[in-house]
Each structure stands twice: as structure tokens, then as C-alpha cells.
Amino acid sequence: MVGGGVASATDAIETVQYSSEEIRAITDTCRQMGRKHTTAHAYTVEAIRHAVDNGVKGIEHGNLIDKATAEYLAEKGIFLTPTLSCYGIMVREPFEDFLPPDGQVKNKEVMKDGLQALKLAEEAGVTVCYGSDLLTSMHALQTEEFTVRAEILSSPAILRHATINVAKMLGKEGLLGEIKPGALADLLILDANPLEDITVLDRPEDHLLAVIKEGRVAFSSLPALKTVEDEAKEDSRRRLKKRARLV
């Protein structure tokens, strides 16, 4: 938390937190332990630069960046994870009172500039990643992030945010976010093309046909594609029938 937060009760969005020495202690320790990536909550230009100048490799939120800061992030190879869906969700029923009054004021402040910040980052060439920052039961609405970003960005760009870009951030290129030999085979089967309309991912009840996790079918509404549990049940029934015939 290198700056103030929307839900933080005692600090303003504009505050810049931790000394340079403290942040360096964190990022240096992570690097020495072989963990190359550190990320920080930051909304403002001052907080973002404070984090990056002291070794942080990723920024969460970043709603109040300007063009120069976006270009700075791109130059430094910093990952940016905007979380735009949460602000709109927290001002509508049944979550309109989730934040205290001062938090609601801060929420409006960062929501106002969030889309523009995303546009600046994409145009500057920042590696933008997918995230929602949704809490508690609101997490079920995380796919709304696709719809929010679609207001200003193309579907292919947003799909990259949720696949190959996050794989790069996590150091999992070739394993996550791609369909290729050696990857983990995490797949969605849809009846619509998200490259043409990314918002289909925000309506799984209408478009999601199956989920494959690490090459195993975890969910399926397709009769020809059985889940691991379905196959186990069928195998059990076959064994029971065979046993009954033997008896």
C-alpha cells in the first residue's frame, strides 16, 4: 500500500506511504529470495513513481496516472493492473452502503478518471493486466471488468490483458494464457467469439459451454464432453452392473 485507499478509513487517496528505504528493503529482499516480482497499491502519480523508483515491478489500480507516468511505466517495463469494475459495483444496489461515507467520496474520485488512465496506459505500451479488486460476495461479479474496459478498448486488447499479459507478470509464459504444446490446457469453450465481443465473457450463463482445467473437464453442459466427476460416476455404474451380473 504505497498510497491511500478507497476503503481505508484513515488515509486520503493523495497520501504517499512508506519511505524509500522501507520499499527498497521489501523489493531487495524479494529479489534476493528469487522472487522477481513485487506489486503495490497506488492511485496517484506520486505514489506510483515512489513505488517504481524503489524497485516495485507492478502497480495495482493506477487510476490517476497521466500521460508522462504511463510512458514511464512502459519504459521501465512495469505491469499495471487496473481494477475498474469495483468502483461502479460499489455504488449500486445492494452494495451502495458497502463503503462508509468518506470511502464513497474517494470511490467517486478514482472512478471518474479510471477509464482515461487505462486508455493512456494502453496507448503508451504498458503491459496491462486483468483484475477486479472485488471483495466478499462482490467477487462473483469480477467478469464485469471485461464490459467496463470494452467501453474504450478493443476486444483483442482486453483478451490479452486476461491471458498472455498476466502470464508474463507471473513469470508463467508458455504455461498460462496460451494454447500451445506444453501449456497447462486451461480452456473455456464458448458459443461466441470473445475476439469479436469480449463482453460475452461477462455473460457465462449465456455463452459458457465448458471449462477445462489443466486438461481435465471441470464443467460441461455438452453431452459429448463429460466432466471428471461424470466419468467417475459412469465408471462406478459400469462396475456395479458388472458385479450384479456376476452375482
Side-chain angles (χ1 to χ4, degrees):
M1 299 287 289
V2 181
V6 167
S8 305
T10 58
D11 53 14
I13 293 293
E14 295 76 23
T15 58
V16 177
Q17 301 171 2
Y18 291 99
S19 67
S20 297
E21 291 78 12
E22 288 172 319
I23 298 175
R24 277 287 172 192
I26 294 168
T27 56
D28 287 350
T29 300
C30 287
R31 188 177 65 255
Q32 290 164 356
M33 293 178 67
R35 306 185 188 282
K36 299 178 181 179
H37 185 73
T38 50
T39 191
H41 160 108
Y43 282 110
T44 66
V45 167
E46 292 77 12
I48 291 168
R49 286 183 175 269
H50 184 50
V52 174
D53 288 345
N54 289 291
V56 170
K57 299 299 183 183
I59 296 295
E60 311 293 313
H61 316 310
N63 293 50
L64 304 177
I65 65 172
D66 55 19
K67 185 174 184 291
T69 306
E71 292 171 349
Y72 179 69
L73 295 181
E75 175 191 343
K76 294 288 187 179
I78 305 301
F79 298 92
L80 175 67
T81 305
T83 57
L84 303 179
S85 59
C86 65
Y87 311 111
I89 289 170
M90 288 193 293
V91 299
R92 67 175 191 244
E93 293 183 350
F95 307 111
E96 70 273 23
D97 294 322
F98 180 81
L99 294 171
D102 61 334
Q104 293 176 26
V105 172
K106 290 190 284 185
N107 187 65
K108 291 177 182 176
E109 178 185 352
V110 298
M111 181 169 61
K112 175 173 62 71
D113 295 319
L115 280 174
Q116 176 62 15
L118 173 60
K119 186 171 185 289
L120 288 172
E122 190 72 23
E123 290 175 348
V126 178
T127 303
V128 178
C129 298
Y130 186 92
S132 70
D133 203 37
L134 288 167
L135 307 172
T136 62
S137 59
M138 288 183 283
H139 194 250
L141 302 173
Q142 62 178 306
T143 55
E144 193 167 313
E145 187 76 17
F146 290 111
T147 298
V148 174
R149 296 190 189 196
E151 293 182 34
I152 59 165
L153 297 181
S154 69
S155 291
I158 301 167
L159 194 60
R160 285 194 294 272
H161 295 176
T163 54
I164 57 175
N165 285 9
V166 285
K168 290 176 183 176
M169 181 176 70
L170 296 171
K172 300 292 184 180
E173 291 178 85
L175 288 177
L176 300 175
E178 299 180 68
I179 300 174
K180 61 185 293 186
L184 292 182
D186 294 339
L187 308 169
L188 301 180
I189 298 177
L190 307 158
D191 66 358
N193 187 354
L195 284 169
E196 296 174 356
D197 178 10
I198 196 70
T199 66
V200 302
L201 295 174
D202 191 22
R203 301 191 298 279
E205 66 281 3
D206 296 328
H207 300 291
L208 182 62
L209 301 180
V211 176
I212 299 174
K213 175 64 176 171
E214 297 182 2
R216 299 166 71 88
V217 181
F219 160 80
S220 175
S221 62
L222 299 170
L225 191 64
K226 305 292 186 183
T227 67
V228 174
E229 290 78 10
D230 290 338
E231 290 178 348
K233 288 176 183 177
E234 288 187 3
D235 184 55
S236 178
R237 283 194 293 268
R238 283 193 296 268
R239 280 186 276 122
L240 286 172
K241 285 181 179 180
K242 183 177 181 181
R243 190 177 303 152
R245 284 196 298 270
L246 290 174
V247 171

